[in-house]
Amino acid sequence: MQNEAGKIAPGNGEHYRVWSVMHHVNVDTLTAEHKRQKTGKATGVDKVTKEEYGKNLQGNLEDLIARMKRFSYRPQPVRRTYIEKQGSSGSMRPLGIVAYEDKLVQGAMTNVLNGIYENKFYDFSYGFRKGKSQHQAIKAVDGILMRGQVNYIVDCDVRGFFDNLDHEWLMKFLEYDIADKNFLRYIKRFLKSGIIEDLQFYESDKGTIQGGVISPVLANVYLHYSLDMWFDKVVKARCRGEAHIVRYADDFICMFQYKDEAEKFYESLKTRLAKFGLEIAEDKSKVIAFGRSARKESKDGKVDTFDFLGFTHICGKNRKGYFTIVHRTSRKKMKAKKASAKEWLRKHMNDHIKELIPALNRKLVGHYNYYGISGNYADISEFYKYVRDELFRTLRRRGQKHRLTWEKFNRILEFNPIAKPSIRVNIWAKA
């Protein structure tokens, strides 16, 4: 795809557009997408499953490509459902379920977009990119705070980013890099495909569907031009001290050496985002003193903390009394995870032990894999103990005449052990 972009010449600052990419959406790439799809997933408005579509896969894909060439293919509306937000009592967030055929096309087009933009995106952008992860983003924050001259954090929350992304601006960004009008036409059709909720059709004049296969890369393109490039080319150039940004999707942290530059950036960020139809949730955003000198400047010795990617980040001290950054599971996430584990155990209370505990272990291992980072053993251990105790209480309710005792429970665990906590990711290791 690089050749089609017109001989990319790194380092000379010259901009090239990709002229022809639609042919990358073909029977072979769509077949590969079909193989990647998981079975048993919720269906879109078409009610078509992977298994049903695959019964005549070759014929279905050839028909799809023929319709795309005639421009008679139109994405179906997205079925909107709601799932509970973690850590919020009863608060729900929308999730879009795309029709199966549309999911395949989105997947193939996403691969094309990734090929075009991967070399354009900045290294400080970590969300939904191959070879990058949330742990790497946290490690980057830790490295900047430990080795840089950062004294202030701008902790921002963009209000409803995926719901308010402006279609016109997004298409301008894409047109800047892609000259293939047919490819862009189908992206626009996906954006305008609409939403079905409670049997009612709603037009989608802004935003991109959370849950859509193509949404993450479109979000990255939008923020690349509206935020990342502006920060790198304009904000940093105007700062006399250090200025850093680490972004994962629409969640980002900005770090500054000087207070006045942090405060000036915070105000200019409001204007910048407003230009692109976005706004800061001011009740969740703030400028705080954070870093080596934060405790010295504090009147009462207390230093603010900030949350990023499910962790609360704290100015602390190591065993030798030297400054360090402590990363703990955020209380909000811990509360949500505990509530989720308790609810799951109640639902599976009557499952056989040999099925219940292996399934529970898969959930525990997933928790350790994410939250088991350097310095956070106490919190993953707290979660382990909570789940163990909740399992005991759940099993105890199953006995009517003979209540389960701790002695009997420990005997059960000897033969059906619960996954123990351990640190899985070393974010303190040098890159």
Side-chain angles (χ1 to χ4, degrees):
M1 208 176 299
Q2 284 191 342
N3 291 335
E4 294 156 13
K7 294 182 180 178
I8 294 174
N12 62 7
E14 196 170 346
H15 176 258
Y16 291 88
R17 296 173 79 199
V18 175
W19 291 99
S20 177
V21 290
M22 196 63 212
H23 62 277
H24 288 287
V25 182
N26 54 47
V27 171
D28 289 340
T29 57
L30 292 170
T31 299
E33 282 304 310
H34 173 74
K35 291 178 180 178
R36 274 194 283 268
Q37 296 300 317
K38 294 181 180 179
T39 58
K41 290 292 184 179
T43 57
V45 294
D46 58 349
K47 302 296 182 184
V48 174
T49 64
K50 176 182 178 178
E51 294 79 9
E52 291 168 347
Y53 197 87
K55 288 177 182 177
N56 183 27
L57 181 62
Q58 188 70 18
N60 286 334
L61 294 182
E62 288 176 357
D63 175 67
L64 171 59
I65 292 297
R67 282 182 283 130
M68 293 188 79
K69 288 179 178 179
R70 296 194 306 267
F71 301 109
S72 62
Y73 163 72
R74 290 193 174 276
Q76 298 183 64
V78 173
R79 181 169 71 86
R80 174 173 280 173
T81 185
Y82 290 86
I83 60 174
E84 189 171 348
K85 277 187 177 180
Q86 285 193 354
S88 58
S89 52
S91 181
M92 309 294 282
R93 72 177 180 91
L95 184 69
I97 302 176
V98 180
Y100 187 76
E101 188 172 73
D102 298 339
K103 195 182 293 184
L104 299 182
V105 178
Q106 284 194 20
M109 293 180 74
T110 296
N111 290 334
V112 173
L113 289 169
N114 284 333
I116 294 168
Y117 282 100
E118 185 54 36
N119 290 329
K120 295 178 182 289
F121 291 151
Y122 286 92
D123 288 340
F124 56 70
S125 168
Y126 291 86
F128 306 110
R129 294 177 61 190
K130 188 175 181 180
K132 289 183 175 286
S133 68
Q134 289 154 304
H135 290 136
Q136 288 177 324
I138 294 166
K139 184 174 181 177
V141 171
D142 184 87
I144 292 167
L145 292 171
M146 289 299 296
R147 293 187 286 275
Q149 299 296 316
V150 170
N151 299 308
Y152 296 91
I153 297 286
V154 180
D155 181 12
C156 291
D157 187 275
V158 179
R159 194 188 305 278
F161 169 74
F162 284 93
D163 295 330
N164 293 298
L165 180 150
D166 186 275
H167 290 176
E168 289 188 19
W169 272 114
L170 175 60
M171 295 310 299
K172 285 179 183 178
F173 296 149
L174 293 169
E175 288 164 6
Y176 181 67
D177 298 304
I178 303 170
D180 191 327
K181 292 183 178 179
N182 294 334
F183 187 84
L184 295 173
R185 178 185 294 185
Y186 280 119
I187 288 182
K188 198 163 188 177
R189 285 187 181 182
F190 278 118
L191 293 172
K192 301 291 186 183
S193 61
I195 298 163
I196 293 288
E197 182 179 343
D198 295 331
L199 303 179
Q200 294 289 320
F201 175 80
Y202 300 92
E203 291 186 356
S204 48
D205 57 350
K206 63 179 181 178
T208 181
I209 300 300
Q210 292 191 59
V213 181
I214 204 169
S215 294
V217 67
L218 293 181
N220 271 338
V221 170
Y222 200 87
L223 288 167
H224 171 75
Y225 284 112
S226 62
L227 176 65
D228 298 355
M229 186 174 285
W230 171 67
F231 190 94
D232 184 67
K233 303 294 184 185
V234 179
V235 175
K236 289 180 70 173
R238 293 176 179 174
C239 288
R240 65 187 188 280
E242 288 189 23
H244 305 273
I245 182 173
V246 173
R247 180 174 68 80
Y248 189 94
D250 61 327
D251 199 357
F252 62 95
I253 291 294
C254 298
M255 295 158 275
F256 293 86
Q257 184 173 353
Y258 299 115
K259 184 178 183 180
D260 63 318
E261 292 179 343
E263 291 175 337
K264 184 178 179 180
F265 166 76
Y266 181 67
E267 293 303 319
S268 62
L269 179 63
K270 297 177 189 178
T271 305
R272 176 69 180 182
L273 293 181
K275 178 180 178 180
F276 300 100
L278 304 173
E279 64 175 325
I280 290 174
E282 295 199 44
D283 56 324
K284 298 180 181 178
S285 304
K286 58 190 175 182
V287 177
I288 62 170
F290 195 95
R292 294 181 183 276
S293 62
R295 198 174 300 278
K296 295 177 183 177
E297 295 182 9
S298 173
K299 293 179 181 179
D300 56 4
K302 294 181 180 179
V303 178
D304 284 334
T305 64
F306 68 93
D307 286 1
F308 182 57
L309 299 180
F311 292 87
T312 297
H313 307 273
I314 306 162
C315 288
K317 293 181 180 180
N318 62 20
R319 291 178 181 177
K320 294 182 179 180
Y322 297 126
F323 171 80
T324 191
I325 304 297
V326 179
H327 311 276
R328 303 289 298 271
T329 309
S330 77
R331 291 298 94 188
K332 181 179 177 181
K333 290 294 184 183
M334 180 69 86
K335 182 180 177 181
K337 290 291 184 180
K338 286 179 177 180
S340 177
K342 182 176 182 177
E343 182 182 359
W344 186 87
L345 284 168
R346 293 289 174 87
K347 286 182 179 178
H348 295 268
M349 181 173 68
N350 294 313
D351 291 1
H352 194 281
I353 290 293
K354 292 190 178 296
E355 296 175 356
L356 176 65
I357 291 183
L360 178 62
N361 281 340
R362 287 192 289 273
K363 292 187 173 296
L364 282 169
V365 168
H367 185 88
Y368 304 151
N369 285 344
Y370 186 76
Y371 289 100
I373 68 172
S374 309
N376 197 38
Y377 182 79
D379 278 4
I380 59 173
S381 182
E382 176 189 332
F383 184 72
Y384 161 78
K385 291 173 183 175
Y386 174 84
V387 171
R388 180 198 62 192
D389 295 350
E390 197 58 41
L391 174 63
F392 171 73
R393 284 189 284 269
T394 300
L395 295 179
R396 202 162 187 263
R397 289 188 183 93
R398 300 201 317 192
Q400 297 296 323
K401 294 182 179 179
H402 304 288
R403 287 278 184 171
L404 183 70
T405 63
W406 267 107
E407 184 180 358
K408 291 179 180 178
F409 178 63
N410 286 326
R411 208 174 301 143
I412 290 172
L413 296 187
E414 283 181 20
F415 295 96
N416 304 276
I418 302 175
K420 297 267 180 89
S422 62
I423 296 300
R424 307 300 176 93
V425 181
N426 183 3
I427 64 165
W428 293 339
K430 291 185 179 179

